[in-house]
Amino acid sequence: MSDLHKTPLDALHRELGAKMVPFAGYDMPVQYPAGILKEHLHTREGAALFDVSHMGQAFLKGENAIEAFETLVPGDYQVMAEGKTRYTVLLNDQGGILDDLMATRIEGGLYLVVNAACKDQDFAHIEAGTAGKADLQILTDRALLALQGPKAGDVLARLAPDTEDMKFMNFRVVSIQGIECFVTRSGYTGEDGFEISVPSDQAEDFAKLLLGQPEVEAAGLGSRDSLRLEAGLCLYGHDITTETTPIEADLKWVVNKRRREQGGFPGYDILMSQLNDGTERLRVGILPEGRAPAREGTEVQDTDGNTIGTITSGGFGPSVGGPVAMGYVQTAFAEPGTPVNLIVRGKALAAKVVKMPFTDKSYKT
Amino acid sequence: MSVLFTDDHEWISVDGDVATVGITDYALQQLGDLVFIEVPEAGRTVMQGEEAAVVESVKAASEVYAPVAGDVVDGNGAIADDPAAVSGDTGGDGWFFKIKMSEPSQLDGLKNEAEYKAYVDGLD
């Protein structure tokens, strides 16, 4: 266990009574004493603080940084103004997804946030793909906190009035009690909220400042997972992998208009043919009719007993009050309302294909 | 009536040739919030160590094993409908199933309360 990385908030997690688990090479809080259900519901009603410092942060800077970055992703970053953030995916030559990430236009380039489990490969891939055109500066001295929930905006505006008028996917550098924060109005819970990058050596003070606000409770990776699942958001390595394209993953909006016309990113021909002709399978929401959760790997069958797909994320949705799932099915079965069966412990349980999200999003747009 | 325990954190309350089975406080703490329970139906025959019930928490599914062989005579439908009603209290309403034992000598291999407590203290 000693070879696990620790985030700058490690001591605080233990002080708060967190249950720590290994995750992506880090010792991370999966839950605090309140438990996953309460942390989840509190995030939907108040504001919750998540430590996501295990994720990778970097600047990609240089005169040609945007053009260089666009050779790796299908997103249009040239049209974006400074201070705007966009979700995108790193692609392989088959159009498969190497990782999903957030990229923000800042002065002189981009600010990137990538998944913890992929960050070493991502940064090596970005560095190799942009060599000679841009400089990748990996930020190893910053922590990342996510403040999520409908009251997150009030909380942050109280501490930093500058953030009040920020809209969803806006980025701003803000000083909060003397701490230089990179604030993005985003998150991955389906709620309004912020991801806030702070210097590692000030992370604990900043977390305590937020936790000292009456609306804010600590929340762990357990509730983060159930929140993003209810919000219909993909988890890398599960719902999207190198074996899935963004078109199959129902993320075709990540291939922006100009890029569809001009190309210049890996897997372009494959993605365009999938956009034009459709795919054999598609990621969909699946709502089990009973109480039993269908976990990742559960076989999906049509009502005649033919295998038509697999669940890639599934569990209990605390806000829904029952099981929720997402997975891939043959496109002929992807229409919302289609009845399917889920094979759970050998039994066929009735379910249906549904539109996601399972809960309403509350982004400030 | 005696209460025994397994290494898999089931408790067994024995009354004559019928064993009532549930899961311990330690198991409940490890599982966290319970969201779904599947209990066996009366009439099913189980072997010792066979998966007899399933407990789902928010994060994961866990099996509950039959501590002894026999015929299931009752499954607790009340906890299936309301997982929050489960408690690790061996005298409470949170039991999972009752088995009419076919080989009561299997009880000899289980732990008593002191042995189970020492076992749990040694975990983690």
Side-chain angles (χ1 to χ4, degrees):
Chain A
M1 300 295 277
S2 58
D3 55 353
L4 287 173
H5 297 294
K6 296 186 187 319
T7 78
L9 296 181
D10 190 79
L12 180 61
H13 296 317
R14 291 167 201 277
E15 194 182 316
L16 294 171
K19 182 178 173 189
M20 306 296 283
V21 297
F23 181 84
Y26 282 77
D27 206 8
M28 295 298 291
V30 66
Q31 66 177 81
Y32 297 86
I36 294 173
L37 274 178
K38 286 201 174 104
E39 291 169 25
H40 178 114
L41 295 172
H42 184 79
T43 311
R44 295 257 184 261
E45 289 157 15
L49 184 66
F50 299 85
D51 180 11
V52 287
S53 301
H54 56 319
M55 296 177 80
Q57 303 179 62
F59 291 139
L60 185 68
K61 289 195 172 173
E63 208 172 305
N64 300 312
I66 304 298
E67 289 81 354
F69 184 65
E70 283 190 352
T71 64
L72 306 175
V73 302
D76 185 352
Y77 284 86
Q78 294 186 28
V79 295
M80 281 169 56
E82 273 181 29
K84 298 277 187 191
T85 302
R86 182 171 274 174
Y87 173 89
T88 193
V89 291
L90 292 169
L91 294 171
N92 65 24
D93 289 338
Q94 289 72 46
I97 302 172
L98 295 167
D99 195 12
D100 59 343
L101 68 157
M102 292 289 198
T104 299
R105 272 202 74 158
I106 56 170
E107 189 181 350
L110 294 161
Y111 165 58
L112 307 176
V113 177
V114 305
N115 282 309
C118 306
K119 65 182 174 187
D120 293 343
Q121 302 98 288
D122 286 355
F123 289 148
H125 178 75
I126 292 167
E127 201 155 35
T130 62
K133 299 175 216 157
D135 289 322
L136 185 71
Q137 302 164 21
I138 300 168
L139 304 176
T140 54
D141 57 350
R142 296 191 78 89
L144 193 65
L145 305 179
L147 182 68
Q148 300 284 296
K151 294 181 181 164
D154 294 344
V155 169
L156 206 62
R158 188 183 307 142
L159 302 169
D162 284 3
T163 60
E164 188 168 13
D165 64 343
M166 288 177 72
K167 294 195 172 6
F168 185 58
M169 297 300 239
N170 279 184
F171 169 90
R172 206 168 281 175
V173 179
V174 177
S175 174
I176 302 176
Q177 301 214 342
I179 300 171
E180 187 201 47
C181 301
F182 303 161
V183 179
T184 315
R185 194 151 202 163
S186 69
Y188 216 61
T189 61
E191 297 299 322
D192 183 24
F194 303 87
E195 288 196 350
I196 308 163
S197 169
V198 295
S200 295
D201 59 357
Q202 292 170 293
E204 186 171 320
D205 286 347
F206 185 69
K208 284 179 172 169
L209 174 68
L210 291 175
L211 289 169
Q213 307 302 310
E215 301 93 335
V216 182
E217 301 283 347
L221 293 182
S223 56
R224 194 165 168 84
D225 188 49
S226 55
L227 288 157
R228 71 90 201 162
L229 173 60
E230 278 186 343
L233 300 169
C234 293
L235 180 62
Y236 190 76
H238 301 261
D239 309 303
I240 47 177
T241 70
T242 52
E243 304 299 313
T244 57
T245 71
I247 316 306
E248 293 170 321
D250 198 23
L251 300 173
K252 59 186 171 207
W253 49 270
V254 303
V255 191
N256 293 131
K257 185 166 178 287
R258 179 178 61 82
R259 308 302 310 280
R260 292 185 191 197
E261 289 157 6
Q262 296 179 0
F265 54 88
Y268 173 69
D269 291 341
I270 293 168
L271 296 196
M272 287 313 292
S273 90
Q274 290 185 345
L275 274 169
N276 293 327
D277 306 332
T279 56
E280 286 180 15
R281 58 179 185 156
L282 205 57
R283 183 179 65 97
V284 295
I286 294 178
L287 196 62
E289 285 178 9
R291 300 282 305 167
R295 308 284 179 181
E296 180 179 359
T298 299
E299 181 183 344
V300 185
Q301 293 185 350
D302 67 11
T303 50
D304 295 327
N306 303 305
T307 301
I308 56 161
T310 309
I311 298 294
T312 50
S313 282
F316 181 80
S319 301
V320 171
V324 292
M326 68 171 81
Y328 286 81
V329 296
Q330 292 171 16
T331 304
F333 297 91
E335 194 63 31
T338 305
V340 295
N341 286 324
L342 304 175
I343 310 305
V344 177
R345 291 181 284 277
K347 284 185 225 158
L349 305 181
K352 65 180 175 188
V353 174
V354 295
K355 275 192 176 167
M356 290 188 285
F358 296 99
T359 52
D360 292 336
K361 292 191 169 95
S362 69
Y363 302 145
K364 190 180 176 190
T365 51
Chain B
M1 191 165 74
S2 61
V3 178
L4 298 167
F5 299 85
T6 71
D7 288 355
D8 295 318
H9 310 291
E10 291 99 6
W11 57 256
I12 307 98
S13 167
V14 181
D15 187 6
D17 62 352
V18 174
T20 301
V21 180
I23 60 175
T24 66
D25 278 327
Y26 178 84
L28 284 169
Q29 274 175 19
Q30 294 297 308
L31 289 165
D33 307 304
L34 303 187
V35 297
F36 175 78
I37 294 171
E38 189 176 285
V39 295
E41 288 178 13
R44 182 176 152 194
T45 301
V46 291
M47 305 291 289
Q48 186 181 35
E50 184 179 330
E51 180 186 319
V54 175
V55 184
E56 300 250 12
S57 67
V58 179
K59 284 302 286 178
S62 305
E63 293 78 29
V64 180
Y65 303 102
V68 288
D71 295 327
V72 174
V73 292
D74 204 358
N76 188 357
I79 59 166
D81 293 336
D82 180 16
V86 176
S87 77
D89 174 10
T90 49
D93 296 330
W95 57 278
F96 277 55
F97 51 88
K98 293 176 192 285
I99 295 175
K100 186 174 183 194
M101 294 181 284
S102 57
E103 293 177 56
S105 63
Q106 289 173 339
L107 294 172
D108 298 341
L110 303 178
K111 288 182 161 60
N112 65 31
E113 189 164 3
E115 288 166 339
Y116 178 69
K117 187 175 181 307
Y119 169 68
V120 166
D121 288 346
L123 299 174
D124 297 335

